[in-house]
Amino acid sequence: MALACLCLVQPVHALDGFAYTRDFEVPAAGWVRVPLDIAALRHMAPGGADLHVFAPGGESIPFRLSATLPESASRPAQVKKQGDRAWVLDTGADPFPHERLVLDLTTPEIAIPALRLESSPDRETWEPLASAVPVRLGGAEGVQRVALTYPSTSHRFLRLLWPTASPALASAAVETVAGPLLTFVIQGAPCRHASSASICTLEIPAGQVLRRLTVEVEGAGRDAGRNAGRKEPGAVGYRLQSAVESRWELLAEGVWEGAGRHVLAGGPKPMPGSTLRLELHGPGGPRAIGYVFELAVPTVLFQAPGPGQYLLAYGGIRGGAVTPGDRPAEALWLEPGPEKPGTPPQLPAGPGASLDRIRFSNGWDISAPDAKPGDLVRLELSSIVYGAAREDLGDLRLSAGGRQIPFFRWSPPDPAFAAGDPGLRPGVSDRPGESRVVVSLPSEGLPLTQIHLSAAAAPLSRPVTVLYVDPDHRSRSGQAAASSTWECSPEPPLPCRARLDLSGTAPRLLTVRLRDGDNPRLSTLGVSVWRRRDVLLFVWPELEKDAAVRLLAGAESLEAPRYDLASLGPALLGHPWQTAEIRRAGADAEKPWWGRWVMPLGVTIAAAWLVWLLRRILSEA
């Protein structure tokens, strides 16, 4: 009887329906905190939408997923002036790691130039630590507070070098950080290089708190002095942006001095997206060759009912229960075991309703070379689809063999580049004191979200208006989509930049008007237009011979679909998937029933008209 009872208890390692599992031993009942590593974050759905915690008996335990932030503290530093252009700071006899210098200057109106910071354990040998323009933090009356972030070091002494005579200093302090950090390194990244700029795309797990990003910069500028053959850039302007709701949000910008390691401080809030956009500007085209990410450690917090072997499971199609209430003051920190491959869940793959009585004006064949029947597939909509579908995309359907394929539509946080040019030349407008540029979009109906304007680093203050222009409309005056005043206080080599939010769907043309007034027109204007992305997730069907998966659009009266698959929602994002793409674009989609009679009927009418015309000519002759 006892043996029979034991057979009813399901061991946690025998669970199916999750692509990955990790087990760990809990010594006693109570609150437990389990950290997650990069592999787990990359394999699970954003926000842990597919995460489960299983007890030894197999029951699901409510949990909370949160970020554990390291603790920081400030320690005053003794300052001694060294000549007219340098300070030496003593952080204390007992070594400890520090990573940021905070200064209170008694000259609040002065513009702080790029400073060089060096470190030394003994004041005898110095090594470069950072070179950048400090970030202004504010300050009290008569005092300007600035901060300089640098790679963490335990050296006791710091030396701060000014390019000119240093101002008066009221106080100085260094900041320390204690606690766990999730660190990973990326060598290289997808970048676009130009003669004076590099734009790199960085990917991190979505929903994480970025504490610091260290960038290793090299360039093709001036000679590096003693190291013959090697080049290093002079001043390097940087901009770091994160994706938020299909727009780019500025995280940090400024100027670094020279090549080497440079540190960007993050923020306390989780980033909703997984994409970062890093721009580097400077003579010779500076390049980033390596990155070190420091994230706040994400942890799974739960209350264990007793001792035993517990299990983390993710990569499924359902999520566990989230525990309510306050967080405990203390919890036992337990490291999970290595990630183990599990058995991914079977997705519902049955065909949907018939499409026999529904007619579409456009359609495209879909290709997924690596997909097998039953695999989850991701299809990102291209620009041409938006011009053929309704604004709400409610008339989109996937079909195979005359039946619908259920799908879930998801909009990633990062936007897609829609159109633009870095070197447009503004022309004369139809209004005095105004110039304009016209941007042609690849398709009408694009869901635009943002436009970026760039110009050379120079003082700038001009009203800007963005217009949606319908080329088929008689007036072609356009509809105002956004307006603002472009203000720029230049910080070379960082170019001036304006960001204007857009909304709604656009026609084929977009016009940017600049109110120049008595100023000359800008010599060049960089324009980049961004739009929302849309992805369809569906299960690849079993196809008969010569059958194809098709994407259909252009049924005005069709209501938006409601599929059981869509109820799984974000949990699908953690499931293994294959890529699909539109194989052939065209308007030869699902033709209406009368479509096949149009050509024969036209030929018959034309022939009858020619016969009648010939008979009339002969009769008159």
Side-chain angles (χ1 to χ4, degrees), residues 60-122:
S60 180
I61 303 295
F63 67 91
R64 173 176 293 172
L65 188 62
S66 60
T68 302
L69 298 173
E71 297 180 357
S72 61
S74 178
R75 175 183 291 193
Q78 296 181 359
V79 182
K80 183 178 180 180
K81 199 163 185 178
Q82 190 180 66
D84 293 335
R85 300 185 181 182
W87 294 330
V88 175
L89 299 91
D90 187 351
T91 64
D94 53 328
F96 64 95
H98 46 93
E99 60 182 32
R100 193 165 80 145
L101 175 63
V102 180
L103 305 173
D104 285 334
L105 307 176
T106 57
T107 52
E109 301 301 328
I110 188 175
I112 308 299
L115 306 179
R116 287 193 295 124
L117 186 66
E118 301 173 340
S119 66
S120 173
D122 52 11

Side-chain angles (χ1 to χ4, degrees), residues 99-280:
E99 60 182 32
R100 193 165 80 145
L101 175 63
V102 180
L103 305 173
D104 285 334
L105 307 176
T106 57
T107 52
E109 301 301 328
I110 188 175
I112 308 299
L115 306 179
R116 287 193 295 124
L117 186 66
E118 301 173 340
S119 66
S120 173
D122 52 11
R123 294 188 64 175
E124 296 294 334
T125 57
W126 297 89
E127 60 183 53
L129 195 60
S131 180
V133 176
V135 177
R136 182 164 183 173
L137 302 179
E141 183 178 355
V143 175
Q144 180 180 183
R145 173 164 291 183
V146 297
L148 191 62
T149 303
Y150 49 87
S152 181
T153 179
S154 297
H155 286 177
R156 175 178 176 177
F157 300 99
L158 297 175
R159 183 164 65 182
L160 190 63
L161 304 173
W162 290 72
T164 58
S166 60
L169 180 65
S171 64
V174 291
E175 290 188 354
T176 65
V177 173
L181 285 173
L182 182 57
T183 303
F184 65 99
V185 179
I186 296 179
Q187 294 296 329
C191 298
R192 292 188 292 110
H193 301 292
S195 59
S196 61
S198 295
I199 300 176
C200 302
T201 302
L202 311 176
E203 295 289 340
I204 67 172
Q208 304 308 308
V209 177
L210 176 64
R211 279 203 67 256
R212 288 156 55 98
L213 170 61
T214 303
V215 184
E216 185 78 21
V217 177
E218 72 170 8
R222 62 173 184 245
D223 289 332
R226 298 178 180 177
N227 299 321
R230 187 172 66 87
K231 302 282 187 176
E232 66 175 16
V236 177
Y238 65 87
R239 279 194 177 99
L240 181 65
Q241 304 170 91
S242 67
V244 179
E245 296 181 352
S246 301
R247 293 174 173 86
W248 291 114
E249 183 177 275
L250 183 65
L251 291 181
E253 67 176 355
V255 175
W256 295 323
E257 187 64 31
R261 292 181 301 164
H262 299 285
V263 180
L264 294 172
K269 296 182 180 180
M271 297 192 309
S274 60
T275 304
L276 295 173
R277 177 182 168 89
L278 177 64
E279 300 179 15
L280 299 179

Side-chain angles (χ1 to χ4, degrees), residues 529-546:
V529 185
W530 302 89
R531 66 168 175 85
R532 187 189 74 225
R533 296 171 55 203
D534 290 284
V535 177
L536 305 185
L537 289 87
F538 63 97
V539 180
W540 193 256
E542 185 81 42
L543 297 175
E544 298 180 358
K545 186 179 180 181
D546 298 330

